Amino acid sequence: MSESYNLAFVSSLPFQDNSNVGLLSLSGCGNIKVSSGSLLSLPELKTLHLSDLGWSYIDKGLVQWHNIHLLDLSYNPLVCDCQAGWLREVLASINNASRAVCGKPEHLAGRDIKNIPSSQLRCGGSVTEEQTV
């Protein structure tokens, strides 16, 4: 489904009878919206390409992350803050070869999120114990 420029929204409906999908690519689909949990019904999904979507955050409830072996998030201006800590752990745990590069905050821009210590993924001005991932 990559490069489907007119594709604006993805829900779980198309996948209900296709639970054996192992690879899904939505790369290059502009600013597509994917509803939370829409890919949870894909237990065989191992490879997920979500590059060049213009996304700054990735929905934690989108997919069964523990099943994903290859995740491509390249060319997304990711905000690497306390909300991205779970994503860092996912990328580190699957030893992903793809880059997921931070767009913001400025001091982390251009860095691969899986190589950033979790203590640097913070929200707000100063780090508090609740904000440390």
Side-chain angles (χ1 to χ4, degrees):
M1 295 172 33
S2 61
E3 305 297 328
S4 297
Y5 304 108
N6 294 324
L7 184 61
F9 182 74
V10 175
S11 71
S12 60
L13 292 176
F15 304 111
Q16 287 179 345
D17 294 327
N18 297 300
S19 62
N20 61 341
V21 172
L23 182 149
L24 179 63
S25 178
L26 297 174
S27 296
C29 290
N31 287 315
I32 189 171
K33 305 290 184 222
V34 181
S35 67
S36 184
S38 62
L39 306 178
L40 286 174
S41 65
L42 300 175
E44 300 298 319
L45 186 62
K46 305 289 186 230
T47 303
L48 183 58
H49 295 276
L50 300 173
S51 66
D52 197 20
L53 299 176
W55 290 1
S56 54
Y57 288 97
I58 308 301
D59 182 1
K60 187 177 182 179
L62 180 66
V63 68
Q64 297 178 41
W65 295 108
H66 64 278
N67 290 341
I68 302 296
H69 294 280
L70 175 65
L71 176 63
D72 183 2
L73 293 171
S74 56
Y75 304 107
N76 283 300
L78 299 175
V79 174
C80 296
D81 61 10
C82 61
Q83 295 179 47
W86 71 269
L87 179 59
R88 179 199 171 279
E89 297 302 318
V90 166
L91 290 171
S93 71
I94 60 176
N95 199 21
N96 193 306
S98 176
R99 292 184 55 171
V101 176
C102 302
K104 292 183 180 180
E106 189 175 309
H107 71 283
L108 296 177
R111 292 183 57 191
D112 193 325
I113 189 172
K114 71 179 176 186
N115 296 329
I116 297 173
S118 58
S119 62
Q120 291 184 21
L121 299 176
R122 55 184 180 240
C123 293
S126 61
V127 179
T128 65
E129 199 165 312
E130 297 90 36
Q131 294 171 329
T132 302
V133 179

